[in-house]
Amino acid sequence: MKVLRPEFDLEAFRSSVESADERVLILDYDGTLAPFTPDRDLAAPYKGVKERLAALHRQEHTRLVLVSGRAASDLDRLLNMDPRPEIWGSHGWERLRDGKYEPPTIPDRWEQALLEARDACLKVAGESQCEFKPASVAVHWRGRENNFRKDVEQRLLPAWSGLASRLGLEIHRFDGGIELRCPGRDKGDSVRTILSESPPEAVAAYLGDDRTDEDAFAAIRGRGAAVLVRKELRDTGADLWLTPPDQLLEFMDLWII
Ligand SMILES: [Mg+2]
């Protein structure tokens, strides 16, 4: 574990987690709890993570939340937890909580744009590399040869850029692909809502690996720890860096009391 911001006091944070009456632990999934796999439908957590998630979820004074760019239903399937934890999917557009589903409300023009983006994605990348979500379409190139990526950049990106500028959608690059997203929500919004629903004295942390997690890191600043989970360090606004899986498991154990 490495402290990245000198203002962050790891020892003080450790003891506040141990002594807190209320805790909020917010976790990204892909790249954070689960290593990347060429077939993202099979992304399983690191060994030891599932048991810890279950233990955390059983604790009365810990609110366990998963926040992901995946569709909420997709993450629910991969986690396969009973009882289910709270899940924010599609970068905060939808939520599963207490067995209830809060769907996204997306304007018709964006729904139409997503359909067009989907067709373009299928044509260039093929079904196995496209991911269709309630508020976005993503194309993945992890595990594919360089030519595939070049093809996506040259043929799909211009089509998506046209749609994005015509209808006000956003293009985001992530670790392993590109996504065309409805604007207005990101993981930072999810974190702000979660914290606003939690007692102000609750000790909180957010764990993530990707660029899309930087919004969440910024949102938790001043309220808890922003933790980058990644084999290699990169530019980040996080307070703390840990490498999975060993340091991740160690960090999760801190919260299991
Ligand atoms: Mg991730």
Side-chain angles (χ1 to χ4, degrees), residues 28 32 187 206-218:
D28 167 59
T32 302
K187 290 175 171 179
Y206 181 95
L207 275 63
D209 67 298
D210 206 347
R211 298 268 158 214
T212 60
D213 296 302
E214 293 293 329
D215 297 315
F217 293 161

Side-chain angles (χ1 to χ4, degrees), residues 3-76:
V3 174
L4 301 176
R5 290 177 62 248
E7 306 90 302
F8 183 77
D9 184 338
L10 180 56
E11 281 321 303
F13 182 74
R14 271 184 210 273
S15 45
S16 69
V17 171
E18 280 164 16
S19 62
D21 291 330
E22 298 286 342
R23 287 176 276 264
V24 184
L25 184 56
I26 312 169
L27 306 165
D28 167 59
Y29 186 76
D30 293 276
T32 302
L33 298 182
F36 291 112
T37 49
D39 185 347
R40 65 190 179 282
D41 289 337
L42 302 175
Y46 288 108
K47 194 166 180 281
V49 164
K50 274 203 95 163
E51 300 85 309
R52 285 166 175 84
L53 287 175
L56 285 161
H57 196 28
R58 276 196 301 270
Q59 290 190 159
E60 236 174 69
H61 300 298
T62 303
R63 178 172 174 192
L64 175 69
V65 189
L66 279 296
V67 174
S68 175
R70 283 185 189 263
S73 58
D74 192 21
L75 187 52
D76 185 41

Side-chain angles (χ1 to χ4, degrees), residues 124-125 139-142 144-158 173 177-178:
V124 174
V139 58
H140 297 263
W141 54 57
R142 190 177 296 281
R144 296 292 300 260
E145 65 286 359
N146 276 348
N147 279 351
F148 177 80
R149 177 175 176 167
K150 227 184 266 169
D151 214 28
V152 166
E153 300 264 11
Q154 286 173 359
R155 292 172 59 213
L156 182 58
L157 197 52
R173 288 176 180 271
I178 308 178

